[in-house]
């Protein structure tokens, strides 16, 4: 998203609004390992609110998943079936 920095003298210079991205590690209980993802601050709060990375990824519709999350979901479902967890 683009916009302007506006000084007190009302001079306008262009600026870019970027998401607040962080590379975070989330622990997947089903996989038994840490998963590194690049997420926004709001995304990290949403993942924690939904009960962790496993519950969040399994609860999303396939159309909402990025390619790396699709691969993660496939790994989680495979490990879940292997362990026999509901």
């Amino acid at each position: 998203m683009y916009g302007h920095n506006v000084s007190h003298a009302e001079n306008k210079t262009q600026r870019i609004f970027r998401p607040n991205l962080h590379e975070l590690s989330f622990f997947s209980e089903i996989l038994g390992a840490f998963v590194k993802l690049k997420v926004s601050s709001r995304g990290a709060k949403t993942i924690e609110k939904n009960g962790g990375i496993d519950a969040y990824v399994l609860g999303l519709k396939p159309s909402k998943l990025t390619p790396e999350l699709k691969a993660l979901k496939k790994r989680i479902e495979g490990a879940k079936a292997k362990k026999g967890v509901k």
Side-chain angles (χ1 to χ4, degrees), residues 24-28 31-36 75:
L24 299 175
S25 295
F26 296 98
F27 185 74
S28 170
L31 295 175
F34 283 94
V35 178
K36 275 190 177 180
R75 281 180 47 207

Side-chain angles (χ1 to χ4, degrees), residues 8 16-19 22 30-32 35-36 40 42-43 45 54 58-60 64 74 76-77 81-86:
H8 184 70
I16 298 173
F17 295 94
R18 293 197 171 104
H22 303 281
I30 295 174
L31 295 175
V35 178
K36 275 190 177 180
S40 65
R42 174 62 62 188
K45 290 177 186 178
D54 298 329
L58 292 174
L60 282 178
K64 298 271 185 181
K74 192 173 183 178
I76 290 172
E77 287 173 342
K82 196 174 187 182
K83 289 182 180 180
V85 178
K86 240 184 184 184

